[in-house]
Amino acid sequence: LLAFARLYVGEGSCMAAEAACLGTPSIYLSPASRRGYLDALEQRYGHVTTVRNVQQAVERSKAWLEDPGSKQRAMSARERLLQESSDPFEFMLDVVRRYGRSAG
């Protein structure tokens, strides 16, 4: 559902990050804290925002929902994120290949 949504708004930081990784703009509502991984997504790719209160969330939501290009920009950000990130399967395969033989 997150992949097909136009926007995610909520207090779940993981859900906000998952939505962003699926190409859905995200608003993380957190009165007291920030999350480094969300800050990185916000600063580097621009399709996540952390807000402190409901009013800010409503304002940002309206702005993204009224912008017809927001979903497409989030999808483009997703593609950049995927291109710039390591494949976890390949990483683990490399670890096993390098160090698996010496274990035992």
Side-chain angles (χ1 to χ4, degrees):
L1 292 174
L2 285 174
F4 298 102
R6 289 183 55 208
L7 177 66
Y8 167 80
V9 181
E11 294 178 335
S13 59
C14 290
M15 291 286 284
E18 289 170 20
C21 290
L22 292 168
T24 298
S26 303
I27 299 172
Y28 171 51
L29 176 60
S30 177
S33 66
R34 296 193 64 91
R35 300 288 186 259
Y37 57 94
L38 288 177
D39 289 346
L41 288 171
E42 182 173 355
Q43 294 165 6
R44 189 169 189 134
Y45 303 102
H47 62 308
V48 177
T49 298
T50 299
V51 296
R52 299 280 183 215
N53 59 56
V54 172
Q55 183 58 38
Q56 290 175 329
V58 169
E59 291 170 9
R60 188 66 185 135
S61 296
K62 284 181 182 179
W64 266 343
L65 292 173
E66 291 172 354
D67 178 356
S70 66
K71 179 69 176 183
Q72 184 56 44
R73 280 193 302 282
M75 290 299 289
S76 295
R78 173 190 182 271
E79 291 303 316
R80 282 188 23 241
L81 173 65
L82 291 175
Q83 290 174 359
E84 295 173 5
S85 299
S86 299
D87 180 340
F89 176 77
E90 291 296 327
F91 173 80
M92 290 305 297
L93 192 58
D94 185 51
V95 168
V96 169
R97 286 180 180 150
R98 284 187 192 190
Y99 306 106
R101 294 182 188 140
S102 63

